[in-house]
Amino acid sequence: MTAGQVPAAGRLPAPVDAWRRHGFEDAASDLVAAGTLPRAWTDRWARALGAPTLAGPDGNWVSAGELEERTATVAGRYAAAGLRAGDRLLVSAAASIDLAVAHVAALRLGLVVVPVNTAFGPTEIGAVAAAARPALAVLDDSARLPGVRSTGPDVALPDGPPPALDEARPDDTALLVFTSGTTGAPKGVPLSHANLLATSASIEVAWRWTASDRLVLALPLFHVHGLGVGLHGTLLAGASAVILPRFEVDGVLDAIAVTGATLMFGVPTMWVRLAASPRLAELGALRLCVSGSAPLDPSTFAALEAGIGSPVIERYGMTETGMLVSNPYDGERRAGSVGLALPGVEVRLQECAGSGEPAGEILVRGPNVFGGYLGGVGADAFTADGWFRTGDLGRADPDGYLRIVGRSKELIITGGFNVYPRDVEEVLRGHPGVADVAVVGVPDPEWGERVVACVVASDTVGADELLAWGADRLAPYKRPREVRFVDELPRNAMGKVVRSALAG
Ligand code: MLC
Ligand code: AMP
């Protein structure tokens, strides 16, 4: 990679200019002026105490005033349990109002929330806990994490005196998200209050999110999509959300009909399933549908547009950066493109040295971008002049619309969940019948990519045995769906496995 090379065709327009053309006028807008999300949220609540904020599938609404009281009470319980600002709270449970309250209460007290995938078994959640050292865990099932003090999503701990609230500073860490590392140990991504606020404020502007909007939130609350975009954005806009414990096509459509929802956010697998429903046209009741976390196939985009009557907005983001690029609300929503750099975000493409390709690695900068991994690992993730290297490869259309054309990082995205090939390879290599293995993502119409293990066997071993070995040791979404036996793995001159040759 050479520094500073910006191919003319890959230069994206200055974000404010681009958005001004699509109706975003406030060039001087300071996205992080409110300081922190808890401050911004409580300001909003105070202005409309009776406004509905969150409801569960039963349709019972929690008002802004009630949300303020419930989060203050739970924050008081954390404090009475000995937790102080800066302490870490590990959170892993299905989405619910209680869970949202537990999360917002933690941010109001200045705790650092460590969200963990509910599919993680004891080994995987244990590895995160060992790295995060939480003072307390909020768990759907305490047996998942023995040895760590825990409570349920309702935080049914003794009440305590009212603690100081909403005093976190913009630079304080609010979220610590662990992505699996290819080195085996989980890699911590600290996101500051200012980072989270910048993402929420940027999409509020870009998607014209207002207090009259109502989101169907069927995403898990342990990733930035459900948490940082869905929940935080709803509360910043003073809007409301129906929180569903899991995604089901009919459950989402019923919730839209019953609650008069206006927004739905989802990963492409959700949109593929909705597009196949005979009830697809019911999504036409919404003001806006947004897809992200993985590429939306243009054929799905077209099927949705035909069925709903208007095109979805595809957007692009990352845990480390929050939201980066989005198709415009007004103006063309282009299939196969993630759109324009969001307000406040700078994007550029850096050509791969000598590749001769018009595509380059996507580099980003802005108040939404984190400051670096926990413990200073992965410092090469930033260029010398402070741009974050996303590991995604992009190409810009002449008018600045960005297309994601591949990844330079070894990552499989299945149903919007990230699978790091080496984590799965390590598990399979532990089987005595496996001499060598490469795990790849194979294109799949529903999941985007499907996890496939290419195995060089050292002994007589069947595919079923290896699949069962993986099933005993890996969260369901990481498990290989297929084993392909090969005589040897294709390697380049450096001895590195050529994964692209296996992923067909
Ligand atoms: C579930 N399974 C998966 C899977 N999800 N397998 C592969 N990939 C996945 N993502 C497994 C189940 O355990 C089950 O295994 C089998 O697949 C079928 O289950 P299902 O009932 O059909 O799946 P379902 O529970 O409906 O889950 C599908 C889904 C879910 C799409 C609703 O995966 C999901 O909520 N995805 C959202 C992920 C997300 O929020 N990503 C955001 C990351 S943030 P078995 O073995 O029992 O058959 C990010 C930044 C950004 O990327 O830009 O947003
Ligand atoms: P995560 O680490 O879970 O936050 O996943 C971030 C990754 O998801 C990005 O680096 C991209 O590879 C991918 N991603 C997110 N949105 C999109 C999108 N709209 N199109 C293609 N890839 C996406």
Side-chain angles (χ1 to χ4, degrees):
M1 203 79 67
T2 53
Q5 293 294 308
V6 183
R11 190 189 295 274
L12 300 189
V16 170
D17 290 348
W19 283 96
R20 207 181 271 140
R21 284 204 308 275
H22 296 282
F24 171 62
E25 290 301 337
D26 189 1
S29 160
D30 181 358
L31 294 170
V32 291
T36 66
L37 278 174
R39 291 221 163 173
W41 292 337
T42 47
D43 277 358
R44 287 236 53 136
W45 298 338
R47 279 187 264 155
L49 289 173
T53 55
L54 304 174
D58 60 6
N60 288 331
W61 287 97
V62 175
S63 71
E66 286 162 347
L67 189 57
E68 198 287 322
E69 279 170 26
R70 280 179 68 171
T71 52
T73 302
V74 170
R77 292 178 186 171
Y78 292 140
L83 275 69
R84 297 291 173 262
D87 284 346
R88 293 175 185 164
L89 180 77
L90 187 148
V91 179
S92 188
S96 66
I97 294 189
D98 279 349
L99 191 73
V101 167
H103 172 76
V104 171
L107 295 189
R108 294 193 68 191
L109 189 63
L111 302 180
V112 176
V113 174
V114 182
V116 178
N117 195 320
T118 49
F120 279 15
T123 310
E124 291 154 321
I125 195 173
V128 174
R133 289 174 283 105
L136 181 73
V138 173
L139 299 175
D140 45 7
D141 173 7
S142 60
R144 289 176 62 215
L145 192 53
V148 172
R149 185 164 59 133
S150 68
T151 180
D154 58 354
V155 194
L157 298 170
D159 288 334
L165 293 176
D166 314 320
E167 294 200 330
R169 291 177 303 261
D171 287 344
D172 289 343
T173 302
L175 275 191
L176 179 58
V177 188
F178 283 88
T179 63
S180 290
T182 47
T183 50
K187 210 153 120 188
V189 180
L191 293 164
S192 70
H193 279 270
N195 293 151
L196 299 181
L197 174 61
T199 271
S200 295
S202 183
I203 54 178
E204 182 185 8
V205 169
W207 299 341
R208 310 278 196 275
W209 208 338
T210 71
S212 52
D213 276 313
R214 179 158 295 170
L215 173 71
V216 176
L217 183 44
L219 287 153
L221 293 183
F222 49 74
H223 276 313
V224 298
H225 197 163
L227 202 57
V229 179
L231 181 63
H232 294 177
T234 293
L235 299 180
L236 183 68
S240 54
V242 192
I243 299 179
L244 302 181
R246 64 186 307 261
F247 173 85
E248 271 163 346
V249 167
D250 286 330
V252 164
L253 296 171
D254 292 347
I256 292 169
V258 170
T259 66
T262 62
L263 302 172
M264 162 75 191
F265 303 158
V267 300
T269 301
M270 296 175 176
W271 294 114
V272 167
R273 292 182 184 178
L274 284 161
S277 167
R279 297 175 61 189
L280 172 62
E282 293 177 35
L283 289 174
L286 299 174
R287 178 177 75 76
L288 178 64
C289 296
V290 184
S291 177
S293 303
L296 183 70
D297 193 86
S299 66
T300 309
F301 179 98
L304 290 168
E305 183 170 10
I308 301 172
S310 63
V312 303
I313 278 185
E314 182 172 7
R315 60 80 183 154
Y316 160 60
M318 252 185 109
T319 302
E320 286 88 335
T321 64
M323 296 303 105
L324 296 166
V325 177
S326 172
N327 274 278
Y329 186 77
D330 297 315
E332 184 191 352
R333 303 175 186 177
R334 194 171 294 172
S337 164
V338 289
L340 306 163
L342 278 162
V345 181
E346 289 178 89
V347 178
R348 71 175 226 233
L349 297 175
Q350 180 161 276
E351 210 173 355
C352 294
S355 70
E357 289 287 315
E361 184 174 13
I362 300 169
L363 307 186
V364 296
R365 202 159 68 165
N368 50 309
V369 178
F370 81 138
Y373 292 103
L374 189 68
V377 299
D380 58 353
F382 289 85
T383 65
D385 53 349
W387 293 75
F388 177 66
R389 305 176 199 271
T390 62
D392 292 310
L393 302 176
R395 174 183 298 155
D397 289 351
D399 55 358
Y401 276 64
L402 181 69
R403 293 175 186 274
I404 296 176
V405 295
R407 281 177 223 134
S408 63
K409 54 192 171 191
E410 285 178 2
L411 174 67
I412 299 166
I413 306 184
T414 171
F417 284 142
N418 290 357
V419 177
Y420 294 85
R422 287 198 202 167
D423 291 351
V424 182
E425 288 163 7
E426 245 169 59
V427 164
L428 294 178
R429 218 169 259 130
H431 188 285
V434 173
D436 206 354
V437 57
V439 167
V440 295
V442 171
D444 184 277
E446 181 180 3
W447 296 100
E449 291 177 289
R450 195 160 35 94
V451 178
V452 170
C454 302
V455 171
V456 180
S458 62
D459 211 342
T460 316
V461 59
D464 288 348
E465 191 180 333
L466 290 181
L467 293 176
W469 178 270
D472 284 345
R473 292 163 177 82
L474 293 163
Y477 70 93
K478 297 182 192 169
R479 296 173 189 164
R481 300 281 143 177
E482 186 187 334
V483 174
R484 294 179 183 170
F485 289 102
V486 293
D487 291 335
E488 60 179 342
L489 297 175
R491 293 184 187 275
N492 65 16
M494 313 287 289
K496 218 177 147 199
V497 174
V498 185
R499 288 169 196 278
S500 55
L502 292 166

